[in-house]
């Protein structure tokens, strides 16, 4: 609502956003088809991929796509997801977090510990899902592995998928809960106020960049060629 | 004796099967390994009746042919040359004697089938009231979970259509009162077919006979770990079923498969549902973290309004 009246800053570039939503689509399809194979009450989800047999055929290929996209985003976001001192304090004050008493929380960086936990849970689960998934993959790969190993892979695949799905439920809820954060992934930008309120240390770091200070919407594109954007005050009419 | 619609268990189905009629006789195929001459008439009969034409393989220097079960070879004779304790004969000086153990391998039609437990496709695997475990290829999705679930390593996925196949115990013949094709073709009567009760009685008699002849460890292979089977063996070395091409001593559904297709299903589903509902109720009770305004974060008078000029203009 007041997005247009407030200065905004870049949080996610177009590449990251495209990657994120491609992953989101893949994850939803994988979740639906995977649950369908996991438990009979979910079997009707196979219709989302064109029926039971198509689900069986497509599920692993979509899984490989998700893995590749995830590796790209995981590498690029690694440095922001390392644990820091304030994170521990933030976690201790989970009650304040859940009760929206943000003013009591210590300042944190680009990601809060909740987001970091999503990151590390997926770092754990997605490679496990890939490896166990390849072991189960018929007709291409399963034949090369002994049946006892396939059994263990099937159970571990289900457990890892369970952790990943639970994590993503929390991730999606957090995005709905914290107003202003979905725009980071749909538009790439957040307001200065949002950034300073939720991620003060990241905000301060970003404010060292002239283009972010100006709140210039097109700065990211221009930044690649020159720094003219810095002179613009960023108050575009858009 | 048989009713083709009398299905007692159906894969990937949580509700009970119709079971108003429960006076069906359990059937069984009894394979008396001690009488088998390895002629493979049963293999040929299986091919003929089920219209299976497997690829011509290669000779590997052993009598097993084909070398393994396939989607188009639902039964295979396994030939094992093993050394066993000397039984009966005059040559008591020898410590061991050579035995040629021949076993007809194929689906055991378990009372508690691992394939059916693991299968995710509703109705792709069914169990009839008479004990026959049958695959409905039309519902098969080719995931191979039946292979993962089977304690006997029986089902095979076809390279042609990616569907799973195995012995049906000639359910189509049994449904109309005939015995399975392999039984019909066996020249030594080493394969017999009838009610499980009759077959157990017959096997019992044969085991006693074998024991009298010196096979002290003869016995009936009807493993309890899978609830008993509807294909049973008479073995002269029942204490060591592994001699017969690795026949499992105590087959049961792997605990890993049990966990995967058992308790984890409702528990993990419930936790996922609760997680989603927890989010919903948190939002309803605590409300969202509203997006902060510039005034809240930076204070009044700070130059953080994007279009202050426009606002002035409007006022």
């Amino acid at each position: 609502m007041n997005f247009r009246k407030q200065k905004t800053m870049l949080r996610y570039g177009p590449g990251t956003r495209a990657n994120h939503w491609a992953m989101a689509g893949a994850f939803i399809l994988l979740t639906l088809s995977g649950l369908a194979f996991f438990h009979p009450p979910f079997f009707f989800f196979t219709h989302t991929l064109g029926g039971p047999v198509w689900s069986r055929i497509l599920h692993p290929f979509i899984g490989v796509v998700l893995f590749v996209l995830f590796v790209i985003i995981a590498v690029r976001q690694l440095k922001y997801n390392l644990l820091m001192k304030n994170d521990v304090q933030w976690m201790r004050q989970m009650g304040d977090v859940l009760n929206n008493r943000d003013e009591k929380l210590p300042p944190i960086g680009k990601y809060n510990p909740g987001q970091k936990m999503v990151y590390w849970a997926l770092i754990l689960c997605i490679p496990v899902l890939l490896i166990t998934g390849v072991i189960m993959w018929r007709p291409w790969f399963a034949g090369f592995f002994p049946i006892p190993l396939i059994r263990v892979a099937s159970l571990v695949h289900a457990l890892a998928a369970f952790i990943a799905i639970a994590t993503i439920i929390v991730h999606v809820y957090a995005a709905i809960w914290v107003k202003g954060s979905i725009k980071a992934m749909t538009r790439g930008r957040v307001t200065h106020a949002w950034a300073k309120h939720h991620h003060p240390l990241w905000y301060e770091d970003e404010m060292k960049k002239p283009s972010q200070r100006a709140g210039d919407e097109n700065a990211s594109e221009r930044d690649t060629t020159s720094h003219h954007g810095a002179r613009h005050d960023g108050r575009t009419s858009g | 004796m048989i009713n083709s619609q009398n299905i007692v268990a159906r894969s990937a189905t949580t509700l009970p099967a119709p079971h108003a009629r429960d006076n069906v006789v359990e059937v069984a195929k009894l394979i008396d390994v001690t009488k088998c001459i390895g002629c493979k008439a049963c293999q040929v009969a299986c091919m003929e009746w089920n219209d299976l034409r497997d690829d011509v393989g290669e000779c590997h220097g052993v009598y097993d042919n084909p070398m393994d079960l396939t989607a188009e070879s639902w039964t295979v004779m396994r030939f094992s040359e093993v050394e066993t304790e000397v039984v009966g004969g005059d040559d008591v000086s020898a410590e061991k004697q050579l035995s040629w153990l021949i076993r007809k391998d194929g689906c055991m039609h378990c009372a508690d089938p691992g394939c059916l437990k693991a299968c995710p496709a509703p109705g792709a695997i069914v169990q009839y009231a008479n004990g026959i475990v049958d695959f409905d290829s039309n519902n098969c999705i080719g995931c191979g979970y039946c292979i993962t679930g089977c304690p006997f390593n029986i089902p095979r996925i076809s390279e042609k259509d990616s569907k799973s196949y195995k012995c049906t115990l000639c359910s189509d013949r049994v449904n109309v009162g005939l015995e399975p094709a392999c039984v019909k073709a066996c020249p030594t009567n080493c394969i017999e077919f009838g009610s499980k009760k009759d077959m157990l009685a017959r096997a019992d008699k044969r085991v006693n006979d074998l024991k009298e002849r010196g096979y002290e460890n003869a016995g009936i292979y009807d493993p309890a770990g899978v609830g008993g089977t509807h294909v049973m063996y008479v073995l002269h070395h029942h204490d060591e079923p592994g001699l017969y091409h690795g026949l499992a001593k105590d087959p049961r559904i792997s605990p890993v498969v049990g966990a995967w297709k058992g308790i984890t299903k409702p528990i993990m589903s419930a936790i996922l549902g609760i997680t989603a509902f927890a989010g919903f109720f948190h939002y309803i009770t605590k409300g969202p973290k509203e997006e902060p305004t510039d005034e809240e974060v930076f204070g009044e008078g700070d130059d953080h309004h994007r279009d202050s000029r426009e606002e002035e203009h409007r006022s």
Side-chain angles (χ1 to χ4, degrees):
Chain A
M1 246 186 296
N2 55 5
F3 197 58
R4 288 168 66 188
K5 291 179 191 167
Q6 286 176 275
K7 267 189 194 168
T8 62
M9 57 201 286
L10 186 73
R11 188 158 164 87
Y12 298 115
T16 307
R17 270 135 61 198
N19 184 329
H20 175 267
W21 290 112
M23 269 202 307
F27 194 92
I28 289 167
L29 294 177
L30 286 166
T31 298
L32 295 179
S33 51
L35 284 176
F37 303 139
F38 175 63
H39 198 9
F42 301 123
F43 192 73
F44 70 99
F45 282 142
T46 52
H47 292 298
T48 52
L49 282 181
V53 181
W54 273 114
S55 292
R56 188 270 301 167
I57 294 169
L58 293 176
H59 179 95
F61 286 105
I62 299 172
V64 171
V65 170
L66 176 80
F67 177 79
V68 172
L69 293 172
F70 179 74
V71 166
I72 295 168
I73 219 161
V75 168
R76 293 181 59 176
Q77 303 296 327
L78 172 65
K79 62 173 183 277
Y80 302 111
N81 281 286
L82 303 172
L83 207 68
M84 47 181 252
K85 213 175 124 194
N86 282 1
D87 290 341
V88 180
Q89 185 59 33
W90 193 94
M91 287 301 279
R92 284 213 188 102
Q93 287 174 248
M94 194 41 87
D96 290 329
V97 176
L98 290 173
N99 286 295
N100 297 329
R101 293 189 288 263
D102 294 353
E103 65 282 356
K104 293 186 182 170
L105 298 171
I108 45 143
K110 184 171 184 183
Y111 297 120
N112 66 44
Q115 292 171 298
K116 288 178 184 177
M117 274 165 63
V118 170
Y119 179 88
W120 289 108
L122 294 179
I123 287 273
L124 176 79
C125 290
I126 290 182
V128 168
L129 285 165
L130 181 87
I131 293 163
T132 54
V134 167
I135 292 171
M136 299 166 75
W137 194 342
R138 289 193 190 270
W140 312 112
F141 300 111
F144 297 111
F145 299 100
I147 291 171
L149 179 66
I150 298 175
R151 288 179 183 143
V152 173
S154 304
L155 179 62
V156 172
H157 196 81
L159 290 170
F162 163 69
I163 296 169
I165 295 167
T167 303
I168 292 302
I169 290 174
V170 174
H171 175 64
V172 169
Y173 173 66
I176 296 168
W177 175 35
V178 182
K179 298 297 171 195
S181 50
I182 287 179
K183 277 203 279 279
M185 266 306 169
T186 52
R187 308 276 294 272
R189 306 184 73 78
V190 291
T191 65
H192 282 193
W194 184 93
K196 189 167 192 297
H197 178 80
H198 290 299
H199 302 278
L201 302 181
W202 175 70
Y203 173 77
E204 281 161 26
D205 278 349
E206 290 296 303
M207 280 306 104
K208 290 168 192 158
K209 299 176 188 170
S211 60
Q212 293 283 45
R213 197 156 56 234
D216 188 345
E217 225 166 82
N218 300 314
S220 58
E221 284 106 72
R222 275 202 300 279
D223 272 355
T224 56
T225 51
S226 70
H227 281 278
H228 289 308
R231 269 182 262 137
H232 195 281
D233 74 351
R235 294 170 193 192
T236 50
S237 57
Chain B
M1 173 158 136
I2 309 298
N3 186 312
S4 63
Q5 293 183 353
N6 208 334
I7 288 168
V8 291
R10 200 170 170 273
S11 58
T13 305
T14 45
L15 297 172
H19 55 278
R21 302 162 298 176
D22 57 359
N23 55 347
V24 176
V25 174
E26 256 187 90
V27 296
K29 182 164 78 179
L30 180 66
I31 302 170
D32 188 344
V33 168
T34 64
K35 283 198 267 182
C36 177
I37 56 170
C39 69
K40 300 184 187 174
C42 53
Q43 269 185 233
V44 175
C46 179
M47 269 177 63
E48 291 270 310
W49 177 261
N50 293 299
D51 199 14
L52 298 165
R53 297 291 182 272
D54 207 346
D55 295 335
V56 176
E58 283 170 31
C59 178
H60 291 259
V62 292
Y63 282 91
D64 302 36
N65 181 17
M67 287 299 290
D68 195 7
L69 295 166
T70 70
E72 285 151 354
S73 292
W74 295 348
T75 186
V76 165
M77 303 307 292
R78 308 285 202 177
F79 294 79
S80 305
E81 290 176 68
V82 295
E83 286 192 328
T84 55
E85 297 294 326
V86 177
V87 175
D90 302 327
D91 188 13
V92 286
S93 58
E95 286 181 5
K96 296 272 188 181
Q97 69 177 22
L98 187 72
S99 291
W100 208 8
L101 306 179
I102 309 165
R103 174 166 72 91
K104 178 185 181 305
D105 194 10
C107 178
M108 301 296 286
H109 297 271
C110 310
D112 182 16
C115 57
L116 193 147
K117 189 179 180 77
C119 177
I125 303 179
V126 295
Q127 185 179 37
Y128 296 115
N130 64 13
I132 294 180
V133 179
D134 213 353
F135 283 10
D136 181 349
S137 302
N138 198 38
N139 291 332
C140 175
I141 64 171
C143 63
Y145 286 8
C146 53
I147 298 171
T148 309
C150 177
F152 292 100
N153 185 20
I154 300 299
R156 295 288 186 272
I157 300 261
S158 166
E159 285 176 16
K160 290 177 185 156
D161 60 11
S162 282
K163 304 230 178 247
S164 196
Y165 294 95
K166 68 160 187 69
C167 157
T168 66
L169 208 71
C170 284
S171 56
D172 48 352
R173 289 174 61 88
V174 174
N175 283 340
V176 293
L178 299 173
E179 74 275 67
C182 54
V183 179
K184 178 92 179 166
C186 181
T188 63
N189 269 350
C190 101
I191 319 177
E192 291 180 278
F193 182 78
S195 75
K196 179 152 180 177
K197 204 175 138 206
D198 288 353
M199 291 303 110
L200 280 171
R202 220 171 274 192
D204 212 30
K205 211 174 153 196
R206 177 65 181 163
V207 166
N208 285 336
D209 190 25
L210 285 165
K211 281 183 174 166
E212 275 174 24
R213 290 169 185 225
Y215 288 99
E216 288 166 17
N217 296 316
I220 307 165
Y221 188 80
D222 178 27
V226 289
T229 54
H230 296 91
V231 171
M232 303 184 294
Y233 292 113
V234 171
L235 304 176
H236 9 37
H237 307 289
H238 185 248
D239 57 323
E240 279 185 90
L243 294 176
Y244 302 84
H245 197 87
L247 186 61
K249 188 167 183 114
D250 183 23
R252 51 181 67 245
I253 297 176
S254 160
V256 178
V257 173
W260 171 44
K261 286 289 170 183
I263 195 73
T264 56
K265 289 201 292 187
I267 286 185
M268 297 203 298
S269 307
I271 294 175
L272 290 182
I274 289 167
T275 311
F277 272 105
F280 176 76
F281 284 108
H282 179 263
Y283 197 91
I284 294 304
T285 54
K286 305 288 184 186
K289 288 191 193 294
E290 294 292 0
E291 187 160 0
T293 62
D294 285 346
E295 288 81 3
E296 283 163 6
V297 176
F298 299 102
E300 293 290 341
D302 189 276
D303 180 33
H304 254 88
H305 284 292
R306 165 167 279 196
D307 266 326
S308 48
R309 276 167 305 175
E310 197 178 292
E311 270 179 14
E312 280 161 25
H313 194 69
R314 241 187 258 142
S315 60

